Amino acid sequence: EKGGYPDFMLKEIHEQPRVIRDTLAGRLVDGHLAIDELDLSPEELNLIDRVYVIACGTSYHAGLIAKNLIEGWARIPCEVEVASEFRYRNPIITPSTLVVAVSQSGETADTLAAVRDARVKGAKVFGITNVVGSPLARESDGVIYTKANKEIAVASTKSFLGQVVSLTLLALLLAQAKGKLKTNQVRLLFHELADTAEQVEHILADTTAIDEAARACKDAKSALFVGRGMGAAISYEGALKLKEISYLHAEAYPAGEMKHGPIALIDEGFPVIAVATKSPVYDKLVSNIQEAKARGAMVVAVATEGDEDIRAHADHVIYIPKVRDAFSAITASVPLQLFARAIAVERNCDVDQPRNLAKSVTVE
Ligand code: F6R
């Protein structure tokens, strides 16, 4: 069942290149994006003037990544909110609002309640789910399936990557409908997106640096994940993975917020995990790392291959292939999944079945 892997989580992490390929299969036809199941004409898509992404947990983090893409490419205001908050406030919803509900299981109670509420208020609802025929799929106006196949480990990995890839397709579709990206730009981006499958394979092929960093952090009481831009969104997911499977307290902050509070936590040997891939805010991030290092932090940096300078600021460097910043969540999330798992294994935790957690949360 585990296909030779010691646990389902590791097996599922290794399935991710396949998930990327399957999620993209058939999506570019004669050079055009094909997401026909959404059943909205380009004219209808063009009318959308506000997007809410609603979800819980890891799926919410996929939404944080999508916000960067939807606003960056399509220039549509996009808010991301946990479903349990969205459903109990009075969000501004009109018929030109698109609600994108993201749920691996498609049966999370809060997410479904938010979807029902949004539809009553007149929003169009797109579901992104891994389970064919799930309540979310049935209750949405259109659905994109993530093609992760059944996920057994409680901690979500491959379905998260499937969500990020699906949301990236949706962002491209919206950008094209809004006239913000031309067909040839969309095509180029699509091919680069498809290339991430190979880049993830490359990351999976050698985990030496990840395992070393994990051994160095395994006895910590707490850890801080930081990043900027896409890196901030990736950090939230990195921290969640670590705390849920290893019980090591972790939290994530946009790196620029460190000096507004969390830097007080840092003393000798405190682990700071930084998503430090090349991006428009790389230099800003490096100065945040330096501030942490100056206070004794043990810095683990996820960095872009070829970036030798980062070594001067980090105790451990995990190199990943260079990709466009828009796709960095797909690559940079993978070493953080492996890092969390390696720490959980070092701490003798049940990687697949963390205490107190259930795979799907069908009650509020
Ligand atoms: C974390 C995890 C949970 C789920 C959350 C939402 O690894 O698995 O945080 O992401 O419970 O579940 P779905 O996506 O099924 O709605």
Side-chain angles (χ1 to χ4, degrees):
E1 272 258 313
K2 292 178 189 159
Y5 292 97
D7 46 77
F8 283 108
M9 184 179 180
L10 189 60
K11 173 174 182 270
E12 291 168 356
I13 288 172
H14 278 262
E15 283 175 50
Q16 292 180 118
R18 199 256 325 135
V19 175
I20 297 169
R21 291 189 179 107
D22 285 357
T23 303
L24 293 178
R27 294 306 190 177
L28 195 70
V29 179
D30 299 330
H32 291 276
L33 277 184
I35 314 182
D36 303 335
E37 61 270 48
L38 290 184
D39 206 21
L40 277 189
S41 66
E43 294 71 31
E44 287 172 298
L45 284 172
N46 190 26
L47 289 177
I48 293 167
D49 60 8
R50 184 200 305 272
V51 178
Y52 286 110
V53 183
I54 51 174
C56 306
T58 286
S59 303
Y60 165 74
H61 296 149
L64 294 179
I65 289 152
K67 174 187 167 79
N68 285 284
L69 303 178
I70 291 170
E71 292 195 340
W73 287 334
R75 308 306 295 157
I76 307 173
C78 175
E79 280 188 57
V80 191
E81 198 164 352
V82 291
S84 56
E85 289 296 314
F86 184 88
R87 65 179 289 198
Y88 288 118
R89 59 183 196 93
N90 189 12
I92 298 165
I93 292 177
T94 70
S96 51
T97 302
L98 173 66
V99 168
V100 183
V102 187
S103 172
Q104 184 283 129
S105 62
E107 58 179 17
T108 298
D110 280 318
T111 307
L112 287 174
V115 161
R116 287 171 193 146
D117 196 41
R119 288 193 73 185
V120 168
K121 290 178 173 151
K124 273 272 169 213
V125 176
F126 285 174
I128 295 190
T129 181
N130 194 39
V131 179
V132 177
S134 58
L136 177 61
R138 291 198 306 269
E139 296 192 29
S140 299
D141 296 299
V143 60
I144 301 182
Y145 288 112
T146 48
K147 310 282 172 64
N149 297 347
K150 190 171 173 53
E151 191 173 59
I152 292 173
V154 166
S156 172
T157 55
K158 62 175 181 170
S159 63
F160 171 74
L161 238 69
Q163 290 167 347
V164 172
V165 172
S166 303
L167 287 162
T168 305
L169 286 175
L170 180 63
L172 287 173
L173 188 76
L174 290 170
Q176 192 171 34
K178 285 276 175 188
K180 303 291 180 191
L181 287 178
K182 298 197 174 59
T183 318
N184 60 338
Q185 289 174 301
V186 169
R187 201 177 306 146
L188 177 85
L189 288 164
F190 184 93
H191 288 303
E192 278 188 41
L193 176 61
D195 288 342
T196 61
E198 220 165 286
Q199 285 146 345
V200 170
E201 267 164 10
H202 179 81
I203 294 167
L204 294 171
D206 179 8
T207 62
T208 317
I210 300 169
D211 295 335
E212 271 170 24
R215 276 194 296 277
C217 297
K218 73 178 171 51
D219 295 320
K221 292 264 178 304
S222 183
L224 189 60
F225 287 68
V226 295
R228 282 174 176 258
M230 277 291 192
I234 298 163
S235 297
Y236 287 114
E237 176 57 8
L240 178 64
K241 261 332 51 115
L242 182 59
K243 70 184 132 193
E244 70 182 329
I245 63 169
S246 75
Y247 317 139
L248 196 166
H249 169 255
E251 59 181 324
Y253 263 91
E257 275 290 289
M258 277 217 293
K259 55 166 68 89
H260 300 287
I263 202 163
L265 290 167
I266 293 173
D267 59 1
E268 203 53 44
F270 189 103
V272 172
I273 295 89
V275 179
T277 46
K278 286 285 181 183
S279 79
V281 285
Y282 171 82
D283 291 338
K284 301 279 174 201
L285 183 86
V286 168
S287 62
N288 297 132
I289 301 177
Q290 285 172 313
E291 286 157 6
K293 187 109 194 80
R295 288 159 182 83
M298 178 172 60
V299 175
V300 176
V302 175
T304 305
E305 263 166 21
D307 177 3
E308 288 301 322
D309 298 342
I310 196 79
R311 286 193 189 278
H313 313 297
D315 301 86
H316 297 270
V317 182
I318 299 166
Y319 283 113
I320 61 172
K322 183 171 171 49
V323 295
R324 177 187 294 272
D325 189 42
F327 302 145
S328 59
I330 299 169
T331 49
S333 297
V334 176
L336 297 184
Q337 295 167 345
L338 290 163
F339 176 74
R341 179 192 167 275
I343 291 185
V345 169
E346 290 280 349
R347 289 161 72 102
N348 291 316
C349 297
D350 184 342
V351 172
D352 288 338
Q353 296 251 295
R355 69 187 178 205
N356 307 342
L357 290 175
K359 186 69 190 163
S360 81
V361 184
T362 54
V363 291
E364 193 174 338

